Amino acid sequence: MSTKPSAEQHETAAESRLVDLYEHPGHLLRRAQQISVSLFHDEIGGVITPVQYAILRMLSNHPGIDQVTLAGLVAIDTSTGATVCARLEEKGLLVREVIPHNRRQRALRITAAGESLLEELVPGLQRLRKRILAPLDEAEREQFMVLLDKLVHVNNAHSRAPLARLPSENDDAH
């Protein structure tokens, strides 16, 4: 009789370890998000939030898109997107214009002040990336980013606000 554990016993042992909160991937991902946001505020200050940055960055790349499309591209729900866009408009960083052929939608454009802010944030964002990835060596950084990208994209459909892609980007989808 073998005392060596079977593959099934190994799998059961691995599953039972998940009762330890600090080995649960969801908990660690939540903690990583908390750390990322904290470091974002350290580097960027209180100028804008990470979601506001994502919206401005996306608008810089896709001027004139509507709020619903923008929310999908940033992977946030449409009501949050509308609220964040209203705040950014109050700050003079974007403008919302009624779309003539669909008066219920708004076309969005980043303002010159918004573009200027994005440019000013580049050094802080570079420091942020370095700080987040600092515990990893170069090979680990590359592997981590590949695996994180895979984790996010393969699980996209399970999100409450799935990432959407523009029709021209679907050919390059993961």
Side-chain angles (χ1 to χ4, degrees):
M1 184 175 256
S2 172
T3 58
K4 187 175 180 184
S6 68
E8 187 175 302
Q9 288 169 326
H10 271 295
E11 190 172 310
T12 303
E15 288 296 321
S16 70
R17 285 196 309 258
L18 292 180
V19 298
D20 180 352
L21 183 61
Y22 303 111
E23 291 183 6
H24 194 283
H27 178 74
L28 293 174
L29 287 168
R30 184 183 65 78
R31 290 287 297 131
Q33 168 65 6
Q34 287 177 323
I35 293 164
S36 174
V37 169
S38 179
L39 293 174
F40 181 94
H41 290 295
D42 283 353
E43 293 298 339
I44 303 305
V47 180
I48 60 173
T49 68
V51 172
Q52 289 173 337
Y53 168 75
I55 284 177
L56 289 177
R57 175 54 56 210
M58 194 57 67
L59 278 180
S60 180
N61 295 339
H62 303 286
I65 62 175
D66 64 89
Q67 285 183 181
V68 173
T69 302
L70 176 65
L73 293 174
V74 178
I76 57 175
D77 64 81
T78 54
S79 61
T80 300
T83 301
V84 174
C85 286
R87 285 192 187 123
L88 290 169
E89 185 176 40
E90 289 170 6
K91 292 181 177 188
L93 301 174
L94 69 77
V95 292
R96 298 185 298 171
E97 302 162 341
V98 173
I99 298 174
H101 64 276
N102 185 348
R103 301 196 57 78
R104 292 181 300 154
Q105 287 187 324
R106 308 242 181 235
L108 304 168
R109 287 184 181 27
I110 190 170
T111 63
E115 288 287 1
S116 178
L117 176 62
L118 286 179
E119 189 62 33
E120 290 170 22
L121 295 178
V122 169
L125 292 165
Q126 289 170 336
R127 289 189 308 270
L128 172 63
R129 180 181 175 90
K130 286 178 185 173
R131 285 181 68 187
I132 289 172
L133 298 175
L136 308 174
D137 65 35
E138 188 57 38
E140 289 171 328
R141 287 179 195 137
E142 289 178 29
Q143 182 182 27
F144 174 77
M145 291 305 297
V146 167
L147 293 173
L148 186 59
D149 183 68
K150 181 178 181 178
L151 183 73
V152 168
H153 284 89
V154 170
N155 287 305
N156 185 50
H158 303 294
S159 174
R160 290 184 181 184
L163 176 68
R165 295 194 176 275
L166 292 173
S168 62
E169 294 176 329
N170 285 337
D171 297 333
D172 300 332
H174 295 267

